[in-house]
Amino acid sequence: MKSKLERPTIGDVASKARVAPTTVSRVLNGGYVSADVRARVEKVIKTLGYVPSPTARSLKYGRKGCLGVVVESVHGPWFMGLLSGMEEELTKRRVSVLLGGLVVHGRYDSSTVQSWITERRVDGLVFARYTRRERDLLSSARQAQIPMTFICPDETEDLGFVARCRNFEAGRAVGQHLAELGHRRVAFVGGPEASIDAQDRLRGLKGALDEVGVTMRPDDVTFGPSYESEAGAQAAREYLRRGVANRPTASVVGNDAMAIGFMRELLKAGVRIPEEHSVAGFDGVEEGARFWPGLTTAEQPMEQLGRAAVAALLDRIDDPESDVAMTVEYPMPLSLRESTGPAPGASGVKRPRTANA
């Protein structure tokens, strides 16, 4: 018989709940069990006062109890949104995280992440916006048999589990909105040209404009070196160098950070938004709602993306045979704010009243 000083074990819980220890483990780690079994196990855990030992669990499975998250920059609202969702799942599973930024002070350096792999410091990796520059890391992780999941990758090869958004539909929704406002010359200011998200958004935008007989001009489609605010500001400066008669009436910008940089430059130059020029972005970051005029944007469910990637990775760590290729896609609802309005000179066009589409 156990003394009062001895802590209950997972075996004690399994015995009292009349299930196998592996079933208790699935309950603790958010795996699938029937509702009746889960309720019975959770009741026993509460009655016995059982507290799982992360250290013991890690030793049993030869794990570090830590995941690595790899992203170009650990700064910026898009990644912070992802991280918020990741933390929720990590806390639930009692797992810690290492953050690896690949660009530091403007220089690309993957050595930190490479050391995680070489030294087996992490049990798995989440790549946010994986690009071809990370192919060596991918190869090293595969050789080391480290599970991986991916958020919005910019490569089309078979990566395994991928969480991304329906960017074509988002671009189409933005295009339809601007067409309804009477815009017949629309510019696209994308992030990096190699970005799959950027290309899908552009295809959706073109498709919506084609439906109203508008073909985008080649000189109205540009791409920036990054998704940072400065890339949007540079695009705005190039826009302002055009003669007034040669300017589009609306710009669809690669993401919200770029769009805010773009709008700031236009506003500083005295361009009225949206009276003279409408602007729309993608992501739905909080700064876009706080900025004035408020930014019309197709919202990414960043927290859901982060949660999904971490949950899938933990499942693959627990059961390597579950590491099959699959892609989960999320819708991007259009949030209408003050940065878009009727095209200059468009008669009889009213701005839609709805806040979302």
Side-chain angles (χ1 to χ4, degrees):
M1 185 174 181
K2 289 183 179 292
S3 72
K4 291 183 178 180
L5 295 177
E6 290 183 273
R7 296 175 59 183
T9 67
I10 194 169
D12 296 331
V13 175
S15 177
K16 193 169 183 63
R18 304 186 306 281
V19 297
T22 53
T23 301
V24 178
S25 179
R26 285 200 296 275
V27 171
L28 292 170
N29 292 299
Y32 174 76
V33 295
S34 70
D36 289 343
V37 170
R38 181 178 296 279
R40 188 164 74 245
V41 171
E42 289 177 344
K43 182 178 180 180
V44 172
I45 288 173
K46 185 176 181 180
T47 300
L48 295 181
Y50 171 71
V51 178
S53 169
T55 301
R57 185 174 184 274
S58 295
L59 288 171
K60 178 180 178 182
Y61 292 101
R63 297 178 187 165
K64 307 298 182 183
C66 184
L67 303 184
V69 178
V70 186
V71 69
E72 181 175 338
S73 172
V74 297
H75 306 289
W78 182 77
F79 177 69
M80 296 310 294
L82 295 181
L83 187 59
S84 177
M86 292 179 187
E87 284 184 325
E88 183 178 324
E89 195 67 29
L90 290 165
T91 300
K92 185 167 61 178
R93 306 281 191 106
R94 298 180 176 86
V95 176
S96 57
V97 66
L98 291 177
L99 301 181
L102 296 171
V103 176
V104 181
H105 303 303
R107 186 172 65 89
Y108 184 86
D109 183 359
S110 63
S111 60
T112 296
V113 178
Q114 184 62 62
S115 71
W116 297 350
I117 299 169
T118 304
E119 300 166 15
R120 290 304 304 247
R121 295 174 59 193
V122 296
D123 299 319
L125 293 167
V126 177
F127 283 88
R129 281 206 179 118
Y130 169 86
T131 71
R132 65 182 58 189
R133 291 194 296 185
E134 284 77 73
R135 285 178 177 174
D136 287 344
L137 294 176
L138 177 70
S139 177
S140 296
R142 282 177 170 167
Q143 289 177 10
Q145 296 185 323
I146 295 176
M148 296 170 282
T149 56
F150 301 82
I151 301 173
C152 303
D154 283 333
E155 289 277 84
T156 57
E157 64 177 289
D158 180 7
L159 298 172
F161 180 88
V162 172
R164 67 180 336 129
C165 292
R166 297 172 187 161
N167 288 284
F168 175 84
E169 293 177 10
R172 184 180 180 84
V174 173
Q176 289 174 335
H177 168 61
L178 293 174
E180 289 172 1
L181 292 171
H183 293 278
R184 294 298 180 265
R185 187 172 177 188
V186 178
F188 180 77
V189 182
E193 190 169 3
S195 168
I196 293 175
D197 289 358
Q199 292 294 341
D200 285 347
R201 291 166 183 175
L202 175 58
R203 287 193 304 108
L205 174 64
K206 284 182 173 180
L209 295 176
D210 283 344
E211 291 178 358
V212 293
V214 174
T215 300
M216 295 185 70
R217 304 185 190 187
D219 59 338
D220 288 339
V221 177
T222 59
F223 296 91
S226 72
Y227 277 107
E228 302 298 322
S229 177
E230 177 54 31
Q234 177 58 36
R237 290 190 284 269
E238 293 173 2
Y239 167 87
L240 291 168
R241 282 194 284 269
R242 295 187 180 194
V244 175
N246 192 35
R247 294 177 180 175
T249 61
S251 291
V252 179
V253 188
N255 70 352
D256 288 354
M258 291 180 69
I260 291 168
F262 186 92
M263 287 197 295
R264 282 176 177 151
E265 289 298 313
L266 262 59
L267 292 168
K268 284 195 298 184
V271 177
R272 294 176 300 150
I273 301 174
E275 292 83 1
E276 295 177 283
H277 194 81
S278 288
V279 180
F282 300 89
D283 281 354
V285 303
E286 290 184 5
E287 187 180 356
R290 293 195 298 264
F291 193 83
W292 187 259
L295 178 62
T296 289
T297 182
E299 298 183 347
Q300 284 203 66
M302 291 169 282
E303 292 187 7
Q304 283 183 268
L305 290 168
R307 279 197 302 270
V310 166
L313 182 58
L314 292 170
D315 286 345
R316 281 152 176 74
I317 292 169
D318 282 338
D319 180 11
E321 292 185 3
S322 70
D323 192 9
V324 295
M326 65 178 298
T327 298
V328 178
E329 294 187 332
Y330 296 92
M332 297 176 66
L334 184 60
S335 180
L336 303 182
R337 301 196 183 105
E338 295 81 13
S339 68
T340 52
S347 59
V349 176
K350 293 183 178 180
R351 190 182 188 282
R353 294 180 181 179
T354 179
N356 292 283

